[in-house]
Amino acid sequence: MKRNLLLTPGPTQIPPYLCAELGKPIIHHRTPQFQQALKEVVEGLKFVLQTKNDVFLLASSGTGAMEASVANLASCGDKVICVEGGKFGERWTELCKAYGINAQVVKVPWGKDVDPMKIKELLDADKDIKAVFVTHCETSTGVTTNIKAVGDVVKNTPAVLVVDAISGFGVTDLKTDEWNVDVVASASHKGLMLSPGVSFVCVSPKAFKLMEVSKSPRYYFDLRKAKKTMEKIDTPFTPAIGIVLALQESLKRFKVEGLENIFGYYAKLAKGTRAAAKALGLTLFPDESCMSTALTTINVPEGIDGEKVMKIMRDTYGISVAGGQGEELKGKVIRIAHMGCVDEYDILSGISCLEKVLKELGYKFTLGAGVAAAQKVFNE
Ligand SMILES: *Cc1c(COP(=O)(O)O)cnc(C)c1O
């Protein structure tokens, strides 16, 4: 039987101890037992997000948390800013359009970070702008946004800062309160190493004021309902019970190991992956200065189809990496994630498999050079 190693930026691998949690019989959610779990999960999420703000759980994939943020913060005709440096930045704009919200787009070349001054100019020119939507780790390109710098320009304006941290959560530092982030959206199936099904939204008091007056249509994702029930440690609807219970276990790791150590661990995996790519004579897609530690986006050499590389790795050798997204990157890059349940040997397997496939496709390099370079970093 073939292995099935996921080095994809969501879903990520579920470690055996969490598979065991997910396999447990269901309990009812209106019970002290579930209430205790929900309380611990909310506390655990706040710990990772370094925040005192409210956290609400939803039953959806990550995009549901993004939609909840949009629908609750602004009304039809309101003005907002969306930062687009990749596929997920574009999703903010698409969601705003769906709700009739007037999004001014700050386009960022793919692979680069946003210049916060561009956001400042727009905010200075128009005090009616309600929100600024950005992406923490832009998973389509492998860039991490300097959220602190964006927070510095948004904090003294009437606008709120909304961050899609779906792939960055628990992998890369996000100091919600210190960096003046008002809303964070994330989900269970990336850094938290579980099945998709739970998303969550972290909301500041400044943002909640907007949520109370938004006229956007909403029912299931109405965060006013979520807040009201969360005051009694409850949810308005049936939560994804099994995943919430497993989150209780998944989140323990952050307190036991410490946030700094966890972020450092992924940074090391990223460093090894980058060193391997370079040793193979390959280049990296994003600028060095804003490269994400959650995933590494590697340019596929001229004349080789990245989609083919990805498919052979997956279908012949059982190792999944992600291909490129959008017209800009399809077939041109592969993306190797280092989030959740991944260790050095998983990365080494991925690199050795990449080497094997590149060799098969006729790319010239010294076999083993990538693995050796990564090993060197891992042994530092
Ligand atoms: C995965 C991802 C999403 C989408 O999440 P779904 O769970 O597929 O809805 C959104 N934003 C970013 C940055 C992501 O990595």
Side-chain angles (χ1 to χ4, degrees):
M1 207 175 83
K2 224 177 359 196
R3 67 188 300 185
N4 181 22
L5 175 64
L6 292 187
L7 296 174
T8 44
T12 62
Q13 307 212 95
I14 307 179
Y17 80 100
L18 292 179
C19 289
E21 289 299 320
L22 291 171
K24 284 184 177 169
I26 195 163
I27 61 167
H28 198 279
H29 57 294
R30 314 275 187 219
T31 54
Q33 195 185 348
F34 184 77
Q35 204 173 27
Q36 181 59 31
L38 183 59
K39 189 164 164 249
E40 275 182 39
V41 166
V42 167
E43 277 167 10
L45 295 172
K46 287 186 188 182
F47 177 78
V48 179
L49 288 171
Q50 302 161 68
T51 186
K52 293 194 173 67
N53 293 339
D54 286 331
V55 174
F56 308 119
L57 267 62
L58 305 167
S60 75
S61 81
T63 307
M66 294 173 73
E67 176 149 354
S69 309
V70 169
N72 283 275
L73 285 169
S75 316
C76 188
D78 278 351
K79 287 178 278 190
V80 302
I81 295 171
C82 293
V83 176
E84 273 187 13
K87 273 311 233 191
F88 294 104
E90 289 171 8
R91 187 163 299 178
W92 279 132
T93 312
E94 287 162 11
L95 280 162
C96 288
K97 276 204 184 117
Y99 282 87
I101 295 159
N102 179 357
Q104 282 179 273
V105 175
V106 175
K107 283 248 183 224
V108 181
W110 285 32
K112 301 201 184 307
D113 193 4
V114 65
D115 174 1
M117 287 309 125
K118 294 247 164 74
I119 300 172
K120 190 177 182 330
E121 278 165 26
L122 294 175
L123 287 172
D124 286 346
D126 190 344
K127 296 293 172 206
D128 284 336
I129 292 171
K130 291 268 172 13
V132 178
F133 293 93
V134 299
T135 315
H136 183 207
C137 292
E138 177 46 80
T139 318
S140 63
T141 61
V143 165
T144 294
T145 304
N146 185 345
I147 299 295
K148 183 180 184 299
V150 179
D152 283 341
V153 305
V154 180
K155 70 178 174 193
N156 295 321
T157 72
V160 293
L161 174 58
V162 187
V163 176
D164 163 2
I166 296 171
S167 66
F169 183 93
V171 183
T172 302
D173 202 6
L174 181 62
K175 298 190 196 307
T176 305
D177 292 357
E178 198 180 313
W179 297 349
N180 303 289
V181 179
D182 293 291
V183 177
V184 186
S186 194
S188 53
H189 56 302
K190 301 199 180 186
L192 286 164
M193 340 184 266
L194 285 167
S195 318
V198 170
S199 72
F200 51 92
V201 191
C202 175
V203 182
S204 75
K206 181 179 174 186
F208 198 76
K209 284 206 182 100
L210 291 178
M211 296 188 172
E212 282 173 319
V213 297
S214 157
K215 293 187 189 69
S216 284
R218 56 210 145 124
Y219 186 85
Y220 189 68
F221 285 148
D222 189 340
L223 294 178
R224 293 168 301 184
K225 284 197 195 95
K227 186 173 166 72
K228 216 167 168 183
T229 48
M230 193 52 93
E231 279 159 12
K232 298 172 281 178
I233 317 175
D234 199 355
T235 55
F237 312 107
T238 311
I241 298 169
I243 302 171
V244 175
L245 295 174
L247 273 171
Q248 200 183 358
E249 292 308 311
S250 166
L251 282 159
K252 283 184 181 158
R253 178 172 75 113
F254 295 96
K255 277 195 181 152
V256 171
E257 293 177 33
L259 291 179
E260 293 272 311
N261 293 329
I262 286 188
F263 300 147
Y265 172 79
Y266 294 114
K268 191 165 188 182
L269 295 183
K271 192 175 171 200
T273 310
R274 293 171 198 168
K278 288 182 187 163
L280 295 174
L282 304 174
T283 54
L284 302 171
F285 179 73
D287 281 1
E288 289 280 346
S289 59
C290 57
M291 224 175 256
S292 176
T293 56
L295 75 159
T296 300
T297 305
I298 302 171
N299 293 315
V300 170
E302 273 298 309
I304 291 181
D305 176 7
E307 287 298 291
K308 203 164 165 185
V309 174
M310 184 267 286
K311 284 182 185 147
I312 300 172
M313 286 179 75
R314 181 190 65 201
D315 300 337
T316 308
Y317 302 113
I319 297 184
S320 292
V321 297
Q325 288 178 296
E327 281 204 4
E328 195 144 350
L329 290 184
K330 198 166 172 66
K332 296 189 185 135
V333 299
I334 61 156
R335 295 173 296 142
I336 298 177
H338 359 87
M339 56 179 81
C341 177
V342 188
D343 69 8
E344 293 174 359
Y345 295 98
D346 295 326
I347 296 292
L348 292 171
S349 297
I351 292 163
S352 70
C353 182
L354 173 64
E355 290 191 15
K356 188 166 169 81
V357 174
L358 287 174
K359 202 59 148 186
E360 284 173 17
L361 295 175
Y363 177 61
K364 295 209 169 24
F365 65 98
T366 310
L367 208 53
V371 171
Q375 281 275 34
K376 196 154 166 267
V377 170
F378 296 154
N379 285 294
E380 270 167 13

